Amino acid sequence: MWLGAEVVFVLLLAAGASGGPPAKGMELEQVDERVWLSEKAARIAGRHEVTPDRVQFSPDRRRAVFVKTTEPRARRRPAKPMHRLVVTDPGGNLLAAFTPLKTRGSAEPPKDLGFLGNDRVVYELASPAPAPVDVPPPQTRRRRGRPQAGSPAVPGAPAPRVFVIQPLRRRAKPLRCEGLEFTLPPARTRLAYLKGAHPAALSVFVDERRIYPRKGTTEVASAPAWSGDGLALAFLEKPSSAAPRLVLVADLDNPTGDTTWELPATLDTKGLHVFWVGADRLVVGKHVGAPVFSASFEVERPQ
């Protein structure tokens, strides 16, 4: 039985041995977690004909997931390979399988597949192949006040990325998350990112749910930084008509629990990041050892 600790102790008992101190023929063998995972990954890979490096385990080690690719049969017309997300138990027994989303025109498998908690997986869609330079972009009809697909990108703006969250429940629909600056807490339980049509009109989302600002958009000047326990987010905001500020969302489910600290109006936020120092202090700077601003706070959480 997997105990979920970094070290597993396996007690090997000789026939006829009973309680008390270890008798002759008894051993205490220390098995490192990495060795256990490596052995299970190799077993799963052998049963499903994939390489062991593709196999990823859930935090509780009760599930494994990997991408299974089936090459098309030889035909006159070229066909694209088929990809499946396969979920098994540590012994390699099939638990579930899902068809991953894909970018139009791309035959690439999902990237960076891994677990999001114990009951969801997350992966990134491969970027589509760049269009030829001499081919003009498709024309699309535009509606007032609403950017449409096919609109030219803002010059110098980073290209959005697409991550997909797939719940492991039967017939569960995947959740498509398109945006910038994707970040995960240490325990990999949620996905935070920035979403918006313009760099100056963004919102902070967690698992496709807006958490800041609660309405409208703003300019977010840094990637969201997770607290160590994965319950809070902090980032820099740069309103168009106000000084930049440090924002703490201490409770993602509380729309009135946001805390802000105003920064110097002349401060250049380019290249700055937010760092957590313990559970009750935030540091702003290009790296944690060179702060330009810091703030301490206290959060009361129910026991």
Side-chain angles (χ1 to χ4, degrees):
M1 179 179 65
W2 175 245
L3 302 180
E6 294 185 357
V7 177
V8 179
F9 292 96
V10 181
L11 187 62
L12 304 178
L13 302 178
S18 57
K24 186 177 180 180
M26 300 175 63
E27 295 180 67
L28 192 63
E29 180 182 355
Q30 183 174 331
V31 182
D32 188 88
E33 180 182 10
R34 289 174 297 179
V35 175
W36 186 89
L37 293 175
S38 178
E39 292 175 350
K40 293 299 181 181
R43 179 176 180 179
I44 294 171
R47 289 190 60 175
H48 295 273
E49 299 181 346
V50 296
T51 56
D53 60 298
R54 290 189 182 184
V55 180
Q56 302 293 326
F57 289 91
S58 60
D60 63 5
R61 310 307 189 214
R62 294 183 178 182
R63 294 186 179 98
V65 66
F66 55 89
V67 177
K68 174 74 173 180
T69 300
T70 304
E71 296 296 335
R73 297 179 180 179
R75 297 177 180 177
R76 292 182 179 179
R77 183 178 179 181
K80 297 179 181 179
M82 293 181 58
H83 307 294
R84 295 280 282 171
L85 301 181
V86 180
V87 184
T88 72
D89 64 15
N93 300 306
L94 181 65
L95 299 178
F98 304 90
T99 301
L101 301 185
K102 63 180 180 179
T103 305
R104 180 177 296 180
S106 174
E108 296 298 317
K111 297 168 27 179
D112 299 328
L113 173 66
F115 275 88
L116 200 61
N118 293 313
D119 56 359
R120 300 186 298 171
V121 295
V122 61
Y123 58 90
E124 183 179 3
L125 297 188
S127 301
V133 178
D134 57 344
V135 178
Q139 297 296 322
T140 58
R141 189 170 61 182
R142 298 174 61 87
R143 296 180 180 178
R144 293 182 180 179
R146 189 176 297 179
Q148 300 297 306
S151 301
V154 177
R161 301 164 66 187
V162 179
F163 281 76
V164 179
I165 299 174
Q166 174 64 66
L168 300 184
R169 302 185 307 272
R170 185 178 180 183
R171 298 180 180 177
K173 294 183 178 180
L175 187 64
R176 192 177 187 273
C177 305
E178 181 174 358
L180 306 167
E181 302 289 359
F182 288 83
T183 56
L184 291 161
R188 292 182 59 92
T189 53
R190 296 176 174 181
L191 182 67
Y193 58 99
L194 308 181
K195 183 176 181 179
H198 191 279
L202 297 172
S203 301
V204 181
F205 276 68
V206 173
D207 295 354
E208 194 56 14
R209 181 168 66 92
R210 183 203 305 267
I211 60 105
Y212 190 91
R214 306 295 173 169
K215 293 182 179 181
T217 59
T218 186
E219 181 175 350
V220 183
S222 72
W226 285 99
S227 60
D229 58 11
L231 298 177
L233 279 174
F235 47 88
L236 295 178
E237 181 185 16
K238 191 177 180 182
S240 58
S241 59
R245 53 190 178 183
L246 170 62
V247 179
L248 168 66
V249 182
D251 187 347
L252 303 183
D253 298 319
N254 183 1
T256 62
D258 305 336
T259 304
T260 61
W261 293 268
E262 189 169 301
L263 305 179
T266 57
L267 181 65
D268 183 7
T269 58
K270 185 177 181 180
L272 296 182
H273 305 278
V274 179
F275 303 93
W276 287 80
V277 181
D280 57 1
R281 185 173 176 230
L282 296 170
V283 168
V284 177
K286 291 190 175 180
H287 53 84
V288 70
V292 298
F293 182 85
S294 65
S296 298
F297 57 91
E298 183 177 354
V299 178
E300 295 183 1
R301 300 190 188 279
Q303 298 296 325

